[in-house]
Amino acid sequence: MPITPDTSPRPALSGRKARATRNDELILDAAREVFLADAHAPIAAVAERAGVGIGALYRRYPSKEALLRTLCSEGLRRYNLEADTALRNSDGWQGLVDFLQRVVEADVHSLTVHLAGEFTPDESILPVVTRPAEANDEIVRRAHATGRLRPGVTAQDLGLILESCAAITTSDPERTAQLRRRLLAMLVTGLTVEGELPGPPPGPAEFAWRWQRR
């Protein structure tokens, strides 16, 4: 059954809650930078990068595992927001292309590659974990309906594309972004080519195994 984007309104935050949310953003931004560089870095490195005391950080996140879980959840929420935007596009092909571009720009999949296996997922992140698969299915279905998407491409193939782009890293963040955009442009062209694809598409289990705690 086709799904529609989540357009439910979000309640406004009070001044105190808004400040708390901003502090959380500072910590999460710092955690993202620290753990993308080194997934095994201590939580104290996050506090230092965020400019907060370790006690203040622990009051918000009682363990490194809790921080990693929240960081991953935020990445999934960003992915879901971009998927919802794609589903609002009346052009199924352009919706797919724009979606891939936005997710690569947001660098969501670098978190997947670096953090998978570093913490134990729990039920708290299930709401944001289940939606991507549903959204991907619908985005790909709509793209196929336009006749422009290569036959045989599945929703799971999106994971291959996004992880391929996320694998590109250089010492210069801007150059990294340029090279990722370049690769994505080539991969998108490949999505329009006729011809049978070699081998079966990836299955969900081929991505899920990495989340087992190491």
Side-chain angles (χ1 to χ4, degrees):
M1 178 183 297
I3 62 174
T4 55
D6 180 8
T7 57
S8 56
R10 302 292 188 268
L13 297 176
S14 66
R16 180 174 296 178
K17 289 183 178 179
R19 287 193 297 273
T21 297
R22 177 56 183 161
N23 288 337
D24 276 341
E25 289 174 352
L26 290 173
I27 292 173
L28 292 175
D29 286 345
R32 191 177 193 280
E33 294 176 10
V34 168
F35 293 133
L36 279 179
D38 179 7
H40 302 291
I43 198 169
V46 176
E48 182 179 357
R49 181 70 62 89
V52 301
I54 189 68
L57 191 151
Y58 272 122
R59 281 195 295 272
R60 296 177 183 277
Y61 302 101
S63 67
K64 179 179 176 180
E65 178 135 331
L67 178 55
L68 290 176
R69 191 179 295 117
T70 301
L71 190 62
C72 184
S73 297
E74 291 302 310
L76 288 170
R77 288 189 180 92
R78 175 63 184 272
Y79 187 94
N80 291 339
L81 286 173
E82 300 302 352
D84 288 342
T85 299
L87 292 172
R88 288 194 291 270
N89 195 323
S90 60
D91 183 331
W93 167 254
Q94 197 59 48
L96 169 63
V97 173
D98 291 348
F99 169 68
L100 292 173
Q101 291 173 342
R102 289 193 303 270
V103 172
V104 168
E105 290 291 335
D107 198 16
V108 171
H109 273 64
S110 287
L111 286 173
T112 299
V113 173
H114 283 77
L115 301 186
E118 297 297 328
F119 69 96
T120 302
D122 63 15
E123 292 184 358
S124 68
I125 67 173
L126 285 181
V128 292
V129 167
T130 55
R131 184 165 176 78
E134 299 172 349
N136 287 350
D137 284 341
E138 182 64 8
I139 290 169
V140 169
R141 186 195 70 78
R142 294 184 184 190
H144 275 303
T146 69
R148 298 188 63 183
L149 181 59
R150 182 176 186 164
V153 173
T154 71
Q156 284 72 38
D157 287 313
L158 300 188
L160 293 180
I161 293 171
L162 293 171
E163 291 195 17
S164 296
C165 293
I168 298 175
T169 59
T170 72
S171 59
D172 179 356
E174 180 55 36
R175 183 58 177 153
T176 294
Q178 289 174 346
L179 292 174
R180 288 176 178 177
R181 287 192 291 265
R182 179 181 176 87
L183 175 60
L184 180 60
M186 292 187 284
L187 293 175
V188 166
T189 298
L191 291 177
T192 65
V193 176
E194 295 290 338
E196 186 175 351
L197 290 165
E206 292 178 273
F207 292 111
W209 69 268
R210 75 184 72 191
W211 291 100
Q212 297 176 5
R213 184 65 180 268
R214 292 192 287 268

